[in-house]
Amino acid sequence: MDQLVPIERIESKILLIRGQKVMLDRDLAELYGVTTGNLNKAVRRNIERFPEDFMFQLNKEEYDSLRFQFGILKRGEHSKYLPYAFTEQGVAMLSSVLNSKRAILVNIQIMRAFTKLREILSTHKELAHKLAEHERKI
């Protein structure tokens, strides 16, 4: 299948914040080919579709931590607003408010990336459990 966006690029945008795997509004906007402002406008117009477990706004400490860890903003660049983080369910809901062919196709790829990540984490847990059992036997 021809990929619009390489899966590795999507996977690199999935972050762990507040114990949840999320994607930031600016990264999603970039993947969907829209501005962050337009993405957030579409969300605000349909805010009832985005409860807190689908989307939340980062606090200043979380944002500063991300900027420090990943260099999100280059020196001299400032974001006027704290970014929004979308959980897997929130990303899925975005496809219903962004009505473009690209948004739908990219959304499918993002859902596959979340699923792949979940499978990898599950495999690692199983391996860790088997290793612990083996160590106990020894």
Side-chain angles (χ1 to χ4, degrees):
M1 182 180 84
D2 213 16
Q3 288 190 342
L4 213 53
V5 180
I7 192 100
E8 297 81 16
R9 184 168 162 216
I10 294 170
E11 289 171 346
S12 73
K13 307 280 186 194
I14 298 174
L15 306 172
L16 189 65
I17 301 174
R18 298 184 193 174
Q20 299 183 73
K21 291 181 291 302
V22 298
M23 296 183 76
L24 298 181
D25 55 2
R26 57 176 252 134
D27 293 331
L28 288 163
E30 178 188 325
L31 293 170
Y32 292 136
V34 300
T35 66
T36 305
N38 283 343
L39 181 137
N40 287 330
K41 281 180 199 169
V43 169
R44 280 192 300 275
R45 281 193 303 266
N46 297 277
I47 198 66
E48 68 281 353
R49 294 177 185 239
F50 296 93
E52 200 171 292
D53 57 328
F54 282 31
M55 175 193 84
F56 57 87
Q57 191 168 27
L58 270 58
N59 63 40
K60 182 155 175 34
E61 294 77 28
E62 290 166 333
Y63 181 61
D64 289 344
S65 175
L66 284 177
R67 285 182 59 199
F68 178 75
Q69 287 177 9
F70 301 107
I72 286 180
L73 290 179
K74 293 173 181 64
R75 189 178 182 94
E77 291 182 16
H78 298 288
S79 179
K80 192 174 178 180
Y81 304 101
L82 292 170
Y84 287 95
F86 292 83
T87 64
E88 183 175 354
Q89 294 83 5
V91 172
M93 190 59 74
L94 277 173
S95 67
S96 70
V97 299
L98 296 174
N99 294 321
S100 75
K101 180 90 169 156
R102 179 179 174 90
I104 293 166
L105 295 173
V106 169
N107 226 66
I108 290 168
Q109 288 181 256
I110 292 171
M111 292 298 101
R112 288 183 175 142
F114 271 106
T115 301
K116 182 179 170 190
L117 188 58
R118 217 177 8 262
E119 289 170 357
I120 290 169
L121 291 172
S122 174
T123 301
H124 285 294
K125 284 180 185 174
E126 289 173 25
L127 289 174
H129 180 70
K130 287 179 183 177
L131 182 60
E133 281 181 15
H134 188 68
E135 286 175 346
R136 271 193 301 259
K137 289 177 184 175
I138 294 174

